[in-house]
Amino acid sequence: MEKLIERAVRDLCGSAYAIALTGAGISTESGIADFRGPSGIWTRDPEAERRAYRSYEKFLRNPKEWWEERLTSPSLLGNLEKAVPNPGHYALTELERLGILKCVITQNVDGLHQKAGITNLFEYHGSVLKLRCVSCGLRFAQDAFDLEKLRREDQLPPRCPKCGGIIKTDGVAFGEPIPGDVASQSLEEAGKCDLMLICGTSAVVYPFANLPRFARERGKTIIIEINADPTPLTEEGISDYLIQGKTGEILPKIVEGVKKAVK
Ligand SMILES: [Zn+2]
């Protein structure tokens, strides 16, 4: 493994435009449950998964009722707002500060990269820390609206101050299209990079899973995986190599190496 970490350090230092893709694996080390793992949220509660599949349709049909239900029932993911970043998140932020990493594209909705201070962040599936207007796409901090007050005054759903559109949580629901801005910006980044660091994701959920494949088709991009286990990307030869283990342990080692090398 040490050899592969050294190789990753060399590759990162030699890159002109490195980007990172992250998934659930980087967040489980912050105590956040994944969905499909052995003790995942859907695995433990299949009925919750069926409800989640119907949620977006319900929002479109009756956003007022959707919001009321949301404000009165406990969140499926537990109290995500209290979760804190782990050494893996901070290592990526450090790589961005060193000028090596140009952006992070994440599948995670937990907002932990934001909390860890990444500046150029694309939250592919949205963020629990934000709300979004479904008409114009404008995003708001979660506390930009007094949702409880709106509920008491029978004013739900919240409305966009810019266009009057209906406000939804930013997290992308099943069946909901990926917001156009992050979808196109992410594709642009994947097309531009010469190194892609894939951390804690098996990249099987589409269209996110297209990003490494798109980068691979362009040929010269170096694709490095850091994951607990081999993934379809490893097996299909999409990635050049896999550093197997915890992102919270491997990424800080890579940062150490990069810092020594740039000195
Ligand atoms: Zn709007």
Side-chain angles (χ1 to χ4, degrees):
M1 188 171 89
E2 296 305 319
K3 283 258 174 301
L4 286 177
I5 289 176
E6 283 167 28
R7 185 176 169 189
V9 169
R10 274 198 310 278
D11 285 340
L12 277 163
C13 292
S15 72
Y17 202 96
I19 71 170
L21 262 56
T22 69
I26 197 169
S27 288
T28 46
E29 290 165 48
S30 285
I32 292 168
D34 63 8
F35 284 91
R36 300 191 192 281
S39 57
I41 292 166
W42 301 151
T43 317
R44 280 183 293 135
D45 189 354
E47 178 49 36
E49 180 172 11
R50 283 190 282 276
R51 273 201 308 276
Y53 272 100
R54 290 191 300 260
S55 173
Y56 184 57
E57 194 193 318
K58 186 162 188 178
F59 171 82
L60 294 177
R61 210 172 47 231
N62 193 338
K64 177 181 157 72
E65 214 176 280
W66 184 91
W67 267 109
E68 278 165 356
E69 214 174 282
R70 183 159 192 103
L71 292 174
T72 50
S73 54
S75 158
L76 206 55
L77 289 162
N79 207 337
L80 266 191
E81 285 112 70
K82 284 192 185 134
V84 291
N86 65 59
H89 296 102
Y90 288 115
L92 291 178
T93 304
E94 189 89 39
L95 281 178
E96 187 186 49
R97 284 190 188 141
L98 290 165
I100 303 254
L101 201 63
K102 308 302 181 201
C103 76
V104 171
I105 305 171
T106 188
Q107 284 179 293
N108 301 335
V109 297
D110 50 44
L112 291 181
H113 285 299
Q114 184 187 329
K115 286 182 186 169
I118 286 281
T119 339
N120 204 17
L121 175 64
F122 302 103
E123 293 173 307
Y124 207 78
H125 294 152
S127 165
V128 294
L129 303 179
K130 294 174 192 160
L131 304 173
R132 170 169 44 86
C133 169
V134 292
S135 298
C136 74
L138 200 63
R139 289 179 183 77
F140 305 87
Q142 194 183 27
D143 57 4
F145 298 85
D146 188 342
L147 297 167
E148 272 308 321
K149 184 164 178 266
L150 291 176
R151 187 174 75 89
R152 279 194 312 272
E153 294 172 357
D154 202 25
Q155 297 289 320
L156 289 170
R159 294 276 175 175
C160 174
K162 188 183 157 206
C163 79
I166 294 170
I167 303 276
K168 185 188 157 291
T169 44
D170 185 37
V172 175
F174 286 115
E176 181 181 1
I178 303 296
D181 55 350
V182 282
S184 64
Q185 286 157 342
S186 299
L187 202 60
E188 196 184 314
E189 294 291 337
K192 202 155 61 173
C193 70
D194 63 351
L195 188 148
M196 186 180 266
L197 193 59
I198 304 180
C199 312
T201 175
S202 49
V204 290
V205 176
Y206 284 87
F208 185 85
N210 284 326
L211 299 172
R213 289 168 175 83
F214 179 61
R216 172 49 64 230
E217 279 165 21
R218 292 181 56 259
K220 276 181 280 177
T221 312
I222 297 173
I223 302 183
I224 308 168
E225 272 185 281
I226 302 173
N227 213 11
D229 296 296
T231 73
L233 299 174
T234 332
E235 282 143 22
E236 291 166 33
I238 305 280
S239 61
D240 290 285
Y241 53 100
L242 163 73
I243 310 177
Q244 200 165 347
K246 289 183 172 173
T247 48
E249 286 166 14
I250 293 167
L251 285 169
K253 285 186 188 169
I254 291 177
V255 171
E256 281 306 299
V258 168
K259 276 180 168 170
K260 272 187 208 149
V262 294
K263 247 180 203 164

